[in-house]
């Protein structure tokens, strides 16, 4: 372990607001560090960095896109020396606004540091682990590991829209794979500000890289280390016991959720409260000859019994078990079609560039007053209608027959046992199943994950009817049997559609509510929270509190420990946006 501390020339303290000349001088300094082309400071060019994927927007003095770890460190020093807030941003694919500013009520100026240019992945130990730099994406990691017969923590889902590796770890995202739990590591290289105003670079990677920041960061960027520089550390680089934790089907608590104190450790769960430069992560052996079973029923209890029996009795857990309600199936089929086709034809690796191009086109169109909002979404929705039905016939037949759908993916060691279980189960119970061909299996899972963005598209196309979307990701208790919610009539009356889908065996459900025009969505969401509290659920399950949710006491305490000066991504979890968490202001007020 190496911790480097530097007392800054101008440590974080209350300063007078910057004037125009000082701002220009500061931006010039950023341009000297990262290059003029990689510093954005006007409202138009910074908009896509200041605006969340689904929620959140605010002002920023500048967006900086460093091309190296050393540049990133120098940008951080410049911001801390001039008492500015730093928001570190990777792919900006989160759903709760946790990587963008939120409003204008900050007491300091904000600089967004976009890390996507530093998309370096370094396999170590014959691919059994990897070192990832801040811009690495899940899709990129999956492709890097495939020739080695290895897989990352997550292999589908958020990777479809270019999500970053760091986003998963720093937000404790869970992914769809039953055995692996939340993205987690105790091995990281990160910077923080101490309460005394010292900027610290902490090396917990378990790698000997030097004693000063410049050397450490430059060597790591180049991959300038040998096998003997890498410690065989006892620190965890993935969740070590989730496969046992999820099997406890009688537990009165959820299997995994964003603020679980079990998995809050330095970078893991930090949500931007540190500036993270590198992560060391475990990889996993590729599953052999997987098979997808497509299950349909009109009785939720039938799926409950399958879940409990498989988690209790199978020696090896399934790979994935994804639930989808018929309504989510329908909305995804119509409003996620272009996403499905794009991924199927072009692959996930093309999506980040396409998404960036889409945002650029929308930026231009938004400046033209005669065009409607979301031009590209409207065009893509129209184009999608021109293509023939993209879903397999047997899936569509099950859509007509059954309200509840379960996609069960197992490795070759479980195929025969799963087939026997399903044959026995549905011999006397309501429901059916079929074994997917390879093509059907891929399309079934792709359709399930296209559902994640379908509600947003529906809102755009039907803006005259829709007030907004209330989107919740919920971790239900492991012993919960009545997992499908029943809403009170007054709540149900405000909904146009209720879309349920999720990671069924982990009991993590995504619930998207498309809400009628004229509804107070914030009040409705708070009502929903009360209903979830009464059920003993935790939320958010894997998308981070962002600026939507209150951070519970344990999570708030974790944030304050990481960032006592409140200079990294302040305000998330609806906490204070003020220096030192507003404590100095309180102390000053109390002495008056």
């Amino acid at each position: 372990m190496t911790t480097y501390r530097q007392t800054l020339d101008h440590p974080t303290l209350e300063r007078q607001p910057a004037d125009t000349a000082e701002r220009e001088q500061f931006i010039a300094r950023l341009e000297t560090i990262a290059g003029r082309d990689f510093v954005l400071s006007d409202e138009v060019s910074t908009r896509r960095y200041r605006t969340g994927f689904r929620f959140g927007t605010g002002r920023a003095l500048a967006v900086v896109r460093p091309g190296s770890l050393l540049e990133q460190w120098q940008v951080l020093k410049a911001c801390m020396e001039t008492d500015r807030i730093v928001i570190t941003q990777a792919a900006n694919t989160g759903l709760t606004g946790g990587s963008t500013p939120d409003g204008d009520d900050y007491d300091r100026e904000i600089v967004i540091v976009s890390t996507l240019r530093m998309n370096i992945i370094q396999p170590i130990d014959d691919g059994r682990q990897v070192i990832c730099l801040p811009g690495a994406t899940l899709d990129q990691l999956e492709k890097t590991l495939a020739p080695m017969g290895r897989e990352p923590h997550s292999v589908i889902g958020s990777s479809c829209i270019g999500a970053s590796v760091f986003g998963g770890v720093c937000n404790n995202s869970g992914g769809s794979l039953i055995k692996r739990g939340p993205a987690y590591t105790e091995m990281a290289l990160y910077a923080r500000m101490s309460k005394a105003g010292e900027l610290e670079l902490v090396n917990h990677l378990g790698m000997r890289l030097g004693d000063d920041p410049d050397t450490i960061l430059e060597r790591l960027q180049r991959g300038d280390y040998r096998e003997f520089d890498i410690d065989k550390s006892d620190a965890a680089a993935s969740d070590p016991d989730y496969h046992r934790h999820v099997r406890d089907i009688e537990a009165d608590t959820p299997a995994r959720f964003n603020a679980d104190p079990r998995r809050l450790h330095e970078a893991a769960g930090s949500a931007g409260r540190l500036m993270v430069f590198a992560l060391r992560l475990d990889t996993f052996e590729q599953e052999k000859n997987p098979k997808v079973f497509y299950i349909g029923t009109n009785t939720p209890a039938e799926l409950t019994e399958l879940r409990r029996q498989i988690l209790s009795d199978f020696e090896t857990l399934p790979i994935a078990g994804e639930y989808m309600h018929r309504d989510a199936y329908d909305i995804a089929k119509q409003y996620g079609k272009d996403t499905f086709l794009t991924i199927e034809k072009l692959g996930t690796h093309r999506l980040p560039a396409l998404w960036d191009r889409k945002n650029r086109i929308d930026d231009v169109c938004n400046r033209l007053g005669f065009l409607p909002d979301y031009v590209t979404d409207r065009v893509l929705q129209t184009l999608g209608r021109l293509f023939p039905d993209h879903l397999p016939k047997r899936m569509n037949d099950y859509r007509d027959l059954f309200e509840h759908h379960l996609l069960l993916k197992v490795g070759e060691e479980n195929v025969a046992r799963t087939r026997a279980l399903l044959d026995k189960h549905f011999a006397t119970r309501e429901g059916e199943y079929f074994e997917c061909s390879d093509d059907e299996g891929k399309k079934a899972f792709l359709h399930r994950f296209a559902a994640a963005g379908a509600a947003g598209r529906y809102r755009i196309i039907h803006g005259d009817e829709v007030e907004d979307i209330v989107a919740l990701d919920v971790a239900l208790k492991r012993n919960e049997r009545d997992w499908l919610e029943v809403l009170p009539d007054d709540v149900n009356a405000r909904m146009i559609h209720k879309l349920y889908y999720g990671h069924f065996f982990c009991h993590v459900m995504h619930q998207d509510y498309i809400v009628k025009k004229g509804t107070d969505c914030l009040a409705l969401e708070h009502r929903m929270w009360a209903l979830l509290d009464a059920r003993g659920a935790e939320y958010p399950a894997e998308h981070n509190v962002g600026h939507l949710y209150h951070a519970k006491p344990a999570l708030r305490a974790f944030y304050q420990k990481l960032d006592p000066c409140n200079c990294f991504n302040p305000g998330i979890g609806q906490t204070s946006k003020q220096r030192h968490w507003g404590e100095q202001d309180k102390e000053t007020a109390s002495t008056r």
Side-chain angles (χ1 to χ4, degrees), residues 202-236:
V202 181
N203 180 8
H204 285 173
L205 281 176
M207 301 177 69
R208 286 176 290 277
L209 296 165
D211 297 319
D212 66 274
D214 290 14
T215 301
I216 292 170
L217 297 170
E218 289 184 319
R219 285 188 63 190
L220 184 60
Q221 177 103 21
R222 296 193 306 266
D224 180 18
Y225 50 83
R226 299 184 182 180
E227 187 174 348
F228 59 75
D229 293 317
I230 303 171
D231 293 334
K232 301 294 183 181
S233 175
D234 292 333

Side-chain angles (χ1 to χ4, degrees), residues 167-276:
V169 173
C170 294
N171 293 320
N172 276 352
S173 298
S176 64
L177 303 182
I178 298 169
K179 305 173 189 178
R180 299 179 191 175
Y184 180 76
T185 185
E186 297 168 3
M187 310 180 79
L189 175 67
Y190 62 88
R192 68 187 296 270
M193 278 287 285
S194 73
K195 195 168 186 177
E198 291 181 320
L199 183 60
E200 302 175 343
L201 182 69
V202 181
N203 180 8
H204 285 173
L205 281 176
M207 301 177 69
R208 286 176 290 277
L209 296 165
D211 297 319
D212 66 274
D214 290 14
T215 301
I216 292 170
L217 297 170
E218 289 184 319
R219 285 188 63 190
L220 184 60
Q221 177 103 21
R222 296 193 306 266
D224 180 18
Y225 50 83
R226 299 184 182 180
E227 187 174 348
F228 59 75
D229 293 317
I230 303 171
D231 293 334
K232 301 294 183 181
S233 175
D234 292 333
S238 61
D239 191 319
D241 60 3
Y242 184 76
H243 62 288
R244 291 185 293 270
H245 186 70
V246 73
R247 286 182 181 273
D248 188 358
I249 58 173
E250 300 304 336
D252 198 36
T253 56
R256 58 175 171 86
F257 57 98
N258 174 260
D260 188 349
R262 295 171 57 252
R263 291 295 171 255
L264 296 177
H265 181 86
E266 297 181 351
S270 60
R273 290 295 186 171
L274 303 168
M275 178 172 276
V276 184

Side-chain angles (χ1 to χ4, degrees), residues 275-467:
M275 178 172 276
V276 184
F277 292 87
L279 296 173
R280 180 172 167 182
L281 299 163
D282 287 334
T283 68
F284 304 87
E285 187 176 355
Q286 281 181 348
E287 299 283 356
K288 302 290 194 302
N289 302 315
K291 169 69 73 174
V292 175
F293 293 83
Y294 199 103
I295 301 164
T297 183
N298 290 308
T299 308
E302 304 298 355
L303 300 186
T304 300
E305 292 308 311
L306 283 175
R307 172 186 175 271
R308 292 174 63 86
Q309 190 167 348
I310 290 172
L311 287 177
S312 298
D313 298 343
F314 275 33
E315 183 177 346
T316 303
L317 289 173
I319 299 168
E322 293 296 304
Y323 169 77
M324 199 173 191
H325 187 273
R326 176 189 281 156
D327 291 346
Y329 185 107
D330 291 345
I331 296 296
K333 182 178 180 180
Q334 183 172 354
Y335 296 93
K337 185 176 181 179
D338 59 286
T339 298
F340 180 107
L341 293 173
T342 300
I343 296 171
E344 183 189 34
K345 304 303 182 185
L346 300 180
T348 57
H349 66 286
R350 298 282 182 88
L351 285 195
L354 292 174
W355 187 261
D356 181 68
R357 201 166 301 164
K358 174 183 178 297
N359 286 336
R360 290 176 184 273
I361 294 171
D362 280 338
D363 280 344
V364 173
C365 293
N366 287 340
R367 284 177 256 166
L368 304 175
F370 60 90
L371 291 175
D373 292 337
Y374 307 107
V375 168
T376 57
D377 286 277
R378 297 176 189 279
V379 171
L380 289 170
Q381 184 65 26
T382 300
L383 291 175
R385 296 193 190 105
L386 303 178
F387 289 86
D389 193 347
H390 56 296
L391 298 180
K393 182 180 185 302
R394 289 201 288 183
M395 283 175 57
N396 286 330
D397 290 344
Y398 266 46
R399 179 265 167 223
D400 295 337
L401 290 170
F402 302 115
E403 184 179 0
H404 307 286
H405 298 225
L406 179 65
L407 288 59
L408 182 57
K409 187 176 185 179
V410 302
E412 62 180 355
E413 73 282 357
N414 273 333
V415 171
R417 182 164 189 177
T418 302
R419 186 184 296 124
L421 172 64
L422 295 177
D423 284 339
K424 180 180 179 181
H425 186 83
F426 290 118
T428 57
R429 295 171 178 265
E430 193 273 335
E432 297 178 17
Y433 81 94
F434 66 86
E435 295 184 35
C436 294
S437 66
D438 289 347
D439 182 63
E440 286 174 324
K442 290 176 183 176
K443 288 183 175 180
F445 271 85
L446 183 49
H447 181 55
R448 152 64 187 89
F449 290 110
R457 176 64 62 77
Y458 185 100
R459 175 185 59 183
I460 290 168
I461 302 303
H462 300 279
D464 55 338
E465 304 168 15
V466 178
E467 181 66 31

Side-chain angles (χ1 to χ4, degrees), residues 93-108:
T93 58
L95 303 182
T96 60
S99 59
T100 59
D102 178 54
D104 300 324
D105 54 336
Y106 296 86
D107 61 351
R108 292 148 291 166

